[in-house]
Amino acid sequence: MVILGAGFAGLACATALAGAGARVTVLEASGTPGGRGGSFREPRTGEILDLGPHLLVGANRDARALLERLGTLERLEFQRSLNIEYRWRGDRRSRLSCPPLPAPFHLAAGLLRFQALPLSERAAAVRIGRAVRRIEKTPGRFTASPSPQNGQCPTPEETVTQWLKRLRQGEHARHLLWEPLATAALNDHPGRASAFLFARVLAEVFSGGPRDSALGWPRGALGDLLKPADRWLEQRGGSLLYSSPAAGLVWKGSHVQEVRLRGGGSVRSDQVVSALPARALLPLLADAPASVGQLRDDCRLFAPRTLPILSVYFWSERRLLGTPFCALPEEEFPWIFERRALAEGSRGSWILALTLGGAQAWMNRPEAAILEASRRQMEGLFPGSERDLWHARVVRQPEATFEPAPDLCLRRPGPGTPADNLWLAGDWTNTGLPSTLEGAARSGHIAARALESRA
Ligand SMILES: Cc1cc2nc3c(=O)[nH]c(=O)nc-3n(C[C@H](O)[C@H](O)[C@H](O)COP(=O)(O)OP(=O)(O)OC[C@H]3O[C@@H](n4cnc5c(N)ncnc54)[C@H](O)[C@@H]3O)c2cc1C
């Protein structure tokens, strides 16, 4: 079997199939695993940086299963239950902290104690918790009618903002709590993003025990989590070929016979799984027969509808934040992360990252303008920090996620395609989840199961 792409989707699929005894070859265009969930070496300091800081939640069972297989799960650090610190200028702070109680009491208790909200709005916020507990009972996949008989569930057409207003969430609850969480989870403005997709995330996170809602992050580089995959596959008779971009598919009717490689040569395979983003798969379908037209149409639809994430990394002499991450609800860059620098060239420093999701308006701005705005934010949050910040790096990811618009969510393809032996995985396929490491890993597992159960 050939798997295209060594991101979380491709490696979840490859390791699930190889673990069940299949001989798997993974073709990866770049020289490292991880794709968008990967890392790179920053040239000046030698520091390994992620393409953007990533958070997971305890409920991310598919991503955790993949890392467990590869023996890297312990490289993630998890909270005991959800705990998000919010900060404003002038060192004003508040905390959404869910005590270790069984669901749904942990979320209710957390919301009722969340002092950033007026008392009157805290009780109303608990209503969202009740609504998403009903979603849990709806199918795991995104369907056209998730639960029409339940008035509290979002409809497939509804945006996050429309749903929150319908559930009479107050202005503070929307602006301080739900909308920043929705933007972080879906990477789009709540006025455009699918409410159902957001509700699915809330259901996954808040319907289980307190550990499901706990946030987690990699202790070191995110890209290192998937590094053992090549050896792991080799030990099971497979291989992960880096710097081996697929350039096209050779067809016989609606059957893929071979995968052509960009550098020449090809790989024959009885089954092929694409774990590529739609934009990367589309050119590979150039010679596909008319019978595979639906797949080409899906790729054409999804390829341009992606959204960016902008991150600005700072190296600081001093520890400024004092916690791995926190929310900055009134700032241009609404999340900040902090960790120790690890590379020789930045010994003793701390690395802070400001991030902004759905950053369309920023993507074409000159680097100097981005740096100026982010430095201004750092100075506002940490007065006098300017002299401690000795280096900065802007990281633009123009196609970080697919656009979580209601119309697009309804069109996500499943693992099967019109071709006899071509399967689909990737965070944009129909997992019921947004573009996340978990969505990607789940898609890989869904494709592996579909392939195993083929007639
Ligand atoms: C800045 C940023 C921040 C994010 N934050 C979070 C977060 O906090 N939490 C979270 O859960 N998710 C987050 N995400 C989303 C998450 O990283 C992605 O949803 C996930 O990594 C997608 O995985 P994938 O395997 O579907 O696709 P990709 O990671 O895109 O994998 C596709 C792979 O295919 C390879 N490829 C492309 N073309 C070819 C070809 N022709 N032949 C062979 N290989 C090819 C690519 O090199 C790549 O390795 C973030 C993403 C970004 C960019």
Side-chain angles (χ1 to χ4, degrees):
M1 290 172 189
V2 169
I3 317 276
L4 308 179
F8 272 71
L11 292 180
C13 186
T15 53
L17 290 169
R23 186 174 288 252
V24 173
T25 301
V26 181
L27 301 176
E28 167 55 45
S30 76
T32 51
R36 281 166 281 157
S39 311
F40 68 101
R41 186 178 294 278
E42 199 275 331
R44 177 166 157 199
T45 59
E47 189 73 34
I48 306 294
L49 296 182
D50 299 339
L51 294 173
H54 277 61
L55 284 176
L56 295 97
V57 289
N60 287 169
R61 291 196 169 72
D62 289 81
R64 292 174 65 137
L66 164 62
L67 302 184
E68 182 135 43
R69 251 176 255 143
L70 297 178
T72 54
L73 184 57
E74 76 283 359
R75 295 194 205 167
L76 290 179
E77 182 164 341
F78 276 96
Q79 304 171 328
R80 290 187 57 222
S81 63
L82 181 73
N83 192 339
I84 303 178
E85 187 175 319
Y86 289 70
R87 284 201 201 171
W88 291 262
R89 294 191 185 199
D91 207 26
R92 191 159 69 84
R93 300 177 189 207
S94 190
R95 198 174 274 284
L96 174 63
S97 158
C98 297
L101 298 170
F105 304 109
H106 65 310
L107 175 61
L111 290 171
L112 292 171
R113 295 189 313 184
F114 187 35
Q115 291 180 351
L117 300 186
L119 211 51
S120 59
E121 292 197 21
R122 293 184 210 167
V126 174
R127 218 174 287 141
I128 295 281
R130 279 207 303 271
V132 300
R133 276 186 69 73
R134 300 206 173 105
I135 294 234
E136 185 203 9
K137 299 183 186 91
T138 67
R141 285 160 51 86
F142 192 99
T143 59
S145 51
S147 186
Q149 75 285 2
N150 174 4
Q152 292 195 315
C153 287
T155 65
E157 298 79 24
E158 233 168 357
T159 66
V160 172
T161 303
Q162 288 166 342
W163 181 53
L164 294 175
K165 284 188 176 167
R166 186 158 65 76
L167 263 62
R168 298 198 307 282
Q169 296 301 294
E171 212 177 304
H172 293 88
R174 279 193 285 123
H175 296 330
L176 272 179
L177 178 65
W178 301 122
E179 293 185 348
L181 286 183
T183 307
L186 308 184
N187 193 31
D188 199 5
H189 189 279
R192 288 187 295 265
S194 157
F196 187 75
L197 205 53
F198 182 45
R200 284 284 320 159
V201 174
L202 293 177
E204 296 240 342
V205 171
F206 291 117
S207 300
R211 282 189 191 274
D212 278 1
S213 61
L215 293 168
W217 52 90
R219 293 179 208 274
L222 180 63
D224 285 352
L225 297 177
L226 299 183
K227 277 243 172 91
D230 45 10
R231 279 203 55 204
W232 196 95
L233 289 170
E234 272 163 31
Q235 284 161 358
R236 287 156 185 83
S239 54
L240 197 176
L241 306 177
Y242 291 117
S243 307
S244 303
L249 304 176
V250 179
W251 297 85
K252 184 171 186 196
S254 45
H255 192 90
V256 179
Q257 281 191 310
E258 295 175 16
V259 179
R260 272 192 295 107
L261 297 174
R262 197 171 296 157
S266 62
V267 183
R268 284 189 84 83
S269 178
D270 55 339
Q271 302 291 336
V272 178
V273 181
S274 163
L276 307 176
R279 189 184 289 278
L281 175 57
L282 185 57
L284 306 190
L285 299 174
D287 302 327
S291 57
V292 180
Q294 181 60 50
L295 175 59
R296 207 167 20 211
D297 290 349
D298 287 343
C299 290
R300 279 204 189 105
L301 175 69
F302 278 84
R305 295 186 66 178
T306 56
L307 292 172
I309 295 181
L310 177 64
S311 309
V312 184
Y313 286 90
F314 288 99
W315 281 250
S316 168
E317 296 284 1
R318 249 185 332 132
R319 186 167 197 192
L320 297 173
L321 192 64
T323 184
F325 71 96
C326 82
L328 308 168
E330 279 173 7
E331 301 289 344
E332 191 86 59
F333 294 83
W335 294 91
I336 186 167
F337 295 76
E338 186 181 61
R339 69 163 171 83
R340 234 179 231 293
L342 298 170
E344 190 81 16
S346 37
R347 182 105 355 112
S349 294
W350 290 85
I351 294 183
L352 292 114
L354 294 177
T355 68
L356 175 65
Q360 297 90 313
W362 287 80
M363 277 299 120
N364 295 323
R365 290 197 196 173
E367 181 135 330
I370 296 172
L371 282 173
E372 194 194 316
S374 52
R375 279 187 199 284
R376 235 184 295 122
Q377 177 168 327
M378 291 296 277
E379 187 58 26
L381 287 165
F382 311 108
S385 63
E386 203 174 354
R387 60 178 175 272
D388 298 307
L389 303 180
W390 58 271
H391 182 44
R393 168 81 38 192
V394 174
V395 182
R396 300 176 212 236
Q397 284 291 293
E399 294 170 6
T401 65
F402 83 90
E403 187 189 315
D407 69 304
L408 210 55
C409 288
L410 288 167
R411 303 278 303 272
R412 296 170 81 181
T417 74
D420 299 342
N421 61 340
L422 176 62
W423 306 83
L424 274 193
D427 61 353
W428 61 287
T429 61
N430 193 358
T431 61
L433 294 175
S435 274
T436 49
L437 300 174
E438 174 68 1
R442 188 169 302 178
S443 76
H445 290 154
I446 290 173
R449 277 198 298 275
L451 213 159
E452 281 168 340
S453 64
R454 70 193 185 279

